[in-house]
Amino acid sequence: MFKRFDGDARQPVEIFVDGRPVMAREGDTVSAALLASGLDVRRQTAVSGAPRLPYCMMGVCFDCLVTIDGMGNRQGCLVPVRPGMQVEIQKGKREIGR
Amino acid sequence: MTSNRPMRDEYDVAVIGAGPAGLAAASLSAQSGLSTLLLDENQGPGGQVWRAVTSTPLKQTRLLGDDYWAGSKLVEEVRASGAEILQGATVWSLDPHLELGISVGGGSQFIRARRVILATGALERPFPIPGWTLPGVMTAGAAQTVLKSSGLVPSGKTVVAGQGPLFWLLTAQILRMGGQIDLILDTTQRLNYLRALPHAAAFLRSPYLLKGLAMMREVRSKVRVVSGVTKIAASGDGRLERVTYEVRGRSATAPADLLLLHQGVVPNVNLAMSAGVKHQWDEIQLCWVPVLDSNCGTSVDGIAIAGDGAGIAGVLAAVARGRIAARAAVEALKPEAGAKAPSMDTLRAALAKVERGRRFLDVLFQPPKQFRIPEGDTVVCRCEEVTAQDILDSVAIGATGPNQLKAYRRTGMGPCQGRLCGLTVTELMADARGKTPEEIGYYRLRAPVKPITLSELASLPKDESATKAVVRG
């Protein structure tokens, strides 16, 4: 769907998506890094389990919901990546306690 | 200065949103000596139009255009103004007494302000077509956001569909960056060219005319554009695979990995409405706009709205309105400081100049009914997965408006709080019941206007009376 522009000279930042290492760039949001990763990062909705990807990328649609460092229902499009960040693709509802 | 949490409990002026309007407002307010807090949800200033202006990997001026880089000047101005700037801060409540609930870094606190300027801008109008929830369907603005902030460009088979001034800007930017666009589906109604004609004279003097025409020419020279599109549907198994569209009753299908939708922007009303600001239905822009006085003041004493949240008028008008709202705050709180700032007459004249020709764009790009009021099993509420037919069925058994509909179907009660379905629900119910959108009304919005965790609420500082109200013994 998306590729990185060739002239992007930002520092790489390693994050983990469901345990797999993914190379993001400094300044990426989690959702941008996921979209650029080429991995299947579709979440499943809480209501029907339908597959979704981010829709608005500006904090209003909540289709980018993702578990970040053990906390569920984070808006991936608003959270910047940090080295070593653990991202889990959310399947269904947020679990109690995370 | 940029801070990690508010440095004080009370400010003269709190500005919410660091886009063009918020930057202009905070800058003028702080320059006049008012203690000013600028709050913004993103990691850096700029809002949507100047998104990532301080951090974009696309450093070459040519790629994003001069209008984008104009934003960095205003960012420098606000940084030098003495305003306190808080990025990554979500304002989740604002009450009529001007108390703000702010979440930053996973913790919340309340602050008070003597004046609040809402510069929360716009969001893209819902574009509820069949299949718009499929992975691979996004807004055109979303593509523009990842382009500016992360240098991502579409790479697979890409279709862009819709209309409006921003639509052409975005397609031009993607193409300049080497991104792929295979097909453009233009949904502008042919009839609108005639309807917009009476407003054309004013538009001829608009600063947007020449830029707009040049951009459309640039795009049309590179990509196939199909005009007069009256139907669009996305389909695929678990993700987008194809886009089907109709022109003059004839149907065609294009393979697609990515479909970018856009049919204009509308004010982001959630925070303003939750504070009790009176809004009304705009018959031309087809959205809710706040009722404002000539100082951008709202029906709630002390709250002003600047920028596209005050009614869609574009970046230059946003800057002008931001300055007007800030100037009004200075006149109210510290009139002696007003002499340094431009006079209100000068500011209003600047606004009138950049608003020129707006009506032409509003009428020309008024989105067609079939793309605003969907039918059948097209999803309306993306969060709760409620279809157009579900809503019509609820109307048939007695749902009268958006608030009753919540009890029937939970529309608007998911995490987006109606941002992606509210306008559709209002117009759909108005259409079904033979009423005007004004009569049907909108969701009653309440704090928290963004979801925050219970633990974050529980860890808010409490005074003794609050504790006594719930603790026994």
Side-chain angles (χ1 to χ4, degrees):
Chain A
M1 278 168 70
F2 289 96
K3 65 172 185 188
R4 286 190 190 276
F5 162 67
D6 295 335
D8 185 351
R10 295 173 302 157
Q11 289 297 313
V13 174
E14 190 181 46
I15 63 168
F16 296 88
V17 180
D18 288 337
R20 281 173 295 185
V22 164
M23 215 42 100
R25 302 286 171 93
E26 199 170 24
D28 277 351
T29 60
V30 170
S31 296
L34 292 176
L35 288 173
S37 72
L39 298 173
D40 180 1
V41 293
R42 293 173 295 171
R43 75 177 181 103
Q44 288 170 4
T45 62
V47 174
S48 73
R52 294 273 176 93
L53 281 177
Y55 179 73
C56 81
M57 292 300 284
M58 58 171 280
V60 297
C61 79
F62 291 78
D63 262 326
C64 64
L65 290 180
V66 68
T67 301
I68 299 174
D69 290 335
M71 186 174 177
N73 275 3
R74 302 289 307 277
Q75 284 184 278
C77 78
L78 293 179
V79 180
V81 294
R82 279 188 316 276
M85 183 180 257
Q86 297 286 341
V87 177
E88 293 163 71
I89 304 305
Q90 205 170 309
K91 306 287 185 192
K93 290 189 184 76
R94 177 186 182 187
E95 294 162 46
I96 289 174
R98 60 194 312 247
Chain B
M1 77 219 86
T2 302
S3 56
N4 297 324
R5 50 177 307 246
M7 292 163 73
R8 323 155 53 130
D9 297 327
E10 192 160 347
Y11 294 82
D12 291 326
V13 177
V15 180
I16 305 170
L23 291 169
S27 175
L28 192 147
S29 165
Q31 281 167 1
S32 305
L34 297 179
S35 61
T36 305
L37 176 65
L38 174 59
L39 296 152
D40 188 73
E41 196 171 31
N42 285 302
Q43 295 310 306
Q48 304 310 325
V49 65
W50 294 330
R51 178 173 276 267
V53 70
T54 57
S55 62
T56 178
L58 316 177
K59 300 295 182 197
Q60 287 169 269
T61 309
R62 190 184 57 82
L63 293 172
L64 291 170
D66 293 341
D67 290 349
Y68 176 77
W69 292 106
S72 51
K73 191 165 158 265
L74 208 48
V75 171
E76 280 166 30
E77 193 182 303
V78 78
R79 284 180 174 166
S81 71
E84 186 183 327
I85 305 165
L86 197 56
Q87 296 289 157
T90 298
V91 177
W92 51 264
S93 88
L94 167 63
D95 72 11
H97 310 293
L98 311 189
E99 190 174 61
L100 293 89
I102 303 166
S103 172
V104 51
S108 274
Q109 69 187 92
F110 286 110
I111 62 134
R112 297 180 64 83
R114 296 168 72 199
R115 283 286 184 284
V116 172
I117 300 173
L118 295 179
T120 50
L123 48 88
E124 288 175 279
R125 176 189 292 281
F127 205 142
I129 55 163
W132 73 310
T133 54
L134 281 173
V137 182
M138 300 176 88
T139 70
Q144 198 175 27
T145 293
V146 295
L147 180 143
K148 290 173 184 169
S149 58
S150 284
L152 301 189
V153 288
S155 62
K157 285 200 180 344
T158 303
V159 178
V160 188
Q163 57 171 36
L166 295 178
F167 180 82
W168 295 101
L169 172 65
L170 167 83
T171 46
Q173 284 175 336
I174 290 177
L175 294 170
R176 278 178 216 159
M177 299 270 312
Q180 184 175 344
I181 301 178
D182 298 272
L183 176 65
I184 292 177
L185 303 175
D186 179 1
T187 60
T188 313
Q189 295 183 92
R190 293 182 203 277
L191 182 67
N192 281 5
Y193 286 95
L194 279 177
R195 291 172 57 210
L197 210 54
H199 308 284
F203 187 64
L204 289 176
R205 292 157 66 208
S206 158
Y208 292 108
L209 172 66
L210 289 176
K211 284 179 197 167
L213 285 176
M215 230 145 41
M216 285 167 82
R217 258 199 315 276
E218 179 185 342
V219 171
R220 284 175 186 277
S221 71
K222 294 178 190 163
V223 185
R224 181 174 162 232
V225 178
V226 177
S227 296
V229 172
T230 53
K231 261 189 191 174
I232 303 170
S235 58
D237 182 14
R239 62 170 70 245
L240 175 71
E241 289 168 6
R242 69 199 81 81
V243 177
T244 306
Y245 58 97
E246 213 172 280
V247 182
R248 290 199 193 87
R250 297 180 69 169
S251 179
T253 297
D257 304 306
L258 181 62
L259 169 61
L260 302 175
L261 299 172
H262 178 87
Q263 53 178 351
V265 296
V266 293
N268 187 355
V269 297
N270 285 54
L271 191 58
M273 279 195 182
S274 74
V277 169
K278 185 173 164 43
H279 283 66
Q280 64 189 9
W281 182 259
D282 185 315
E283 287 290 345
I284 305 284
Q285 293 195 343
L286 303 175
C287 57
W288 300 104
V289 294
V291 178
L292 299 177
D293 62 25
S294 59
N295 289 339
C296 298
T298 70
S299 62
V300 178
D301 203 25
I303 300 181
I305 302 184
D308 272 356
I312 303 307
V315 53
L316 299 173
V319 170
R321 285 163 166 175
R323 291 191 175 129
I324 288 171
R327 164 97 212 181
V330 174
E331 284 176 7
L333 301 178
K334 201 180 177 190
E336 71 280 8
K340 281 191 287 179
S343 76
M344 203 55 117
D345 285 347
T346 308
L347 295 174
R348 288 198 186 119
L351 175 62
K353 191 175 165 201
V354 293
E355 278 182 330
R356 206 180 278 156
R358 184 73 222 177
R359 198 87 309 189
F360 175 81
L361 292 175
D362 288 345
V363 174
L364 177 62
F365 293 123
Q366 196 178 62
K369 183 177 173 186
Q370 71 272 21
F371 292 127
R372 306 192 323 268
I373 304 179
E375 295 174 339
D377 60 4
T378 300
V379 169
V380 172
C381 171
R382 298 173 61 99
C383 297
E384 297 294 331
E385 303 183 44
V386 182
T387 68
Q389 190 58 49
D390 291 336
I391 294 171
L392 292 179
D393 291 347
S394 303
V395 169
I397 57 169
T400 54
N403 292 302
Q404 292 81 1
L405 188 66
K406 290 181 191 173
Y408 288 72
R409 287 291 180 180
R410 285 191 53 83
T411 42
M413 297 178 75
C416 99
Q417 304 187 0
R419 288 170 175 89
L420 271 287
C421 70
L423 285 176
T424 314
V425 164
T426 291
E427 285 210 274
L428 183 66
M429 294 188 87
D431 191 56
R433 298 196 56 225
K435 304 256 183 196
T436 64
E438 188 74 53
E439 287 169 322
I440 288 290
Y442 195 68
Y443 295 132
R444 198 169 299 113
L445 300 169
R446 296 185 183 88
V449 299
K450 275 282 183 108
I452 56 169
T453 63
L454 203 52
S455 64
E456 195 168 332
L457 269 182
S459 59
L460 276 167
K462 293 165 276 289
D463 62 20
E464 201 183 341
S465 63
T467 307
K468 277 186 176 162
V470 291
V471 176
R472 286 185 191 182

